[in-house]
Amino acid sequence: TDIAVGQMRQIDFLADEAAGPAWIVAQEPTWEPGSASGYHTLTYGWLVGGLYKAVTGDPLPRVLDHDVYLGLPAAEARRAATIVEPSTARGLRWVDDDTHPALQAMPPGFVPDWNDPRLRAACQPAFSGWASARALAAHVDSIAPAEYELGRQLQVDGLDRVLELPVRRGLGVELGGRFEGGAVGALGPNERAFGHGGHGGQVVVRDPEAELTIAVLVNLLAEPELAAERTTTICELIRGL
């Protein structure tokens, strides 16, 4: 009925590789560029795709090295895990009004089924990247020093207006280090470590100085606070070996 129709429209929107970029182009900035920072959730994949095409003239590649895919190929579908997402894994509890930046960082009313074949096949790196943890770690470990030196130059060190959490970010990556109060996230205490987390507890971390790369991928998603704690614990155990 209404829910089913809304769900189908969301799937149509996400599966259409032109719809997302067009939606972004139509938006007005939520704040003056350079004055604040906020996590982009789904829109980041469209921004990356648009930038890549503007520079190279080509769409994003669907197959990366080390068995990493942007969009799940039909031939690999049997290898992919089913996503299990309890209702508590959705949403940010502190979003309590329609003007919160979190609601402006992604299309409204978004509750798509991440197991829908069309979404799993979509070439959208913000939600449809596919790899084993080993393959993802190998891919990130292959980044050349010149590239990661550029990426891990500090750009943001402060409050994320969408997540309402302290963040340290470079160019497209999160950075390690200690936050105010001494807390350390999944990327660890080294300010030169870089990587990124994802919905429900995913993370990939590279720490070249420690000669360590960690990837944690889960299909049983958890609510944001528990996911972060679980993933951080796993990364700390690995760093302590």
Side-chain angles (χ1 to χ4, degrees), residues 94-239:
W94 52 88
V95 177
D96 55 5
D97 65 74
D98 293 338
T99 63
H100 195 283
L103 300 180
Q104 298 168 346
M106 62 190 297
F110 245 50
V111 286
D113 176 8
W114 298 120
N115 291 306
D116 186 281
R118 292 175 61 193
L119 298 190
R120 291 162 79 92
C123 184
Q124 218 284 20
F127 69 79
S128 193
W130 296 86
S132 66
R134 184 182 297 276
L136 180 59
H139 175 69
V140 172
D141 195 55
S142 70
I143 298 174
E147 295 173 343
Y148 67 65
E149 282 299 338
L150 177 64
R152 65 182 181 176
Q153 293 177 12
L154 183 65
Q155 304 293 319
V156 177
D157 189 358
L159 184 69
D160 183 297
R161 289 183 58 176
V162 170
L163 301 177
E164 296 190 6
L165 294 170
V167 297
R168 300 184 74 254
R169 293 199 179 106
L171 294 172
V173 295
E174 299 173 355
L175 301 176
R178 296 185 182 277
F179 301 112
E180 184 177 350
V184 175
L187 274 67
N190 183 4
E191 295 184 355
R192 304 278 288 163
F194 66 95
H196 212 285
H199 181 44
Q202 330 296 334
V203 76
V204 61
V205 184
R206 185 172 181 194
D207 188 338
E209 285 75 19
E211 299 183 345
L212 179 66
T213 303
I214 302 170
V216 178
L217 301 180
V218 300
N219 70 309
L220 175 57
L221 309 185
E223 59 186 277
E225 292 84 352
L226 293 178
E229 181 178 345
R230 177 181 63 182
T231 305
T232 297
T233 299
I234 293 171
C235 291
E236 287 179 341
L237 289 171
I238 294 171
R239 276 190 288 266

Side-chain angles (χ1 to χ4, degrees), residues 67-109:
D67 207 22
V68 178
Y69 304 94
L70 298 182
L72 181 63
E76 303 292 340
R78 63 180 179 78
R79 298 173 56 199
T82 298
I83 304 301
V84 180
E85 184 180 33
S87 59
T88 54
R90 291 284 179 130
L92 303 174
R93 295 193 189 94
W94 52 88
V95 177
D96 55 5
D97 65 74
D98 293 338
T99 63
H100 195 283
L103 300 180
Q104 298 168 346
M106 62 190 297

Side-chain angles (χ1 to χ4, degrees), residues 23-24 40-48 104-107 124 126:
W23 179 79
I24 292 175
H40 267 259
T41 59
L42 298 182
T43 61
Y44 189 69
W46 293 313
L47 293 169
V48 169
Q104 298 168 346
M106 62 190 297
Q124 218 284 20

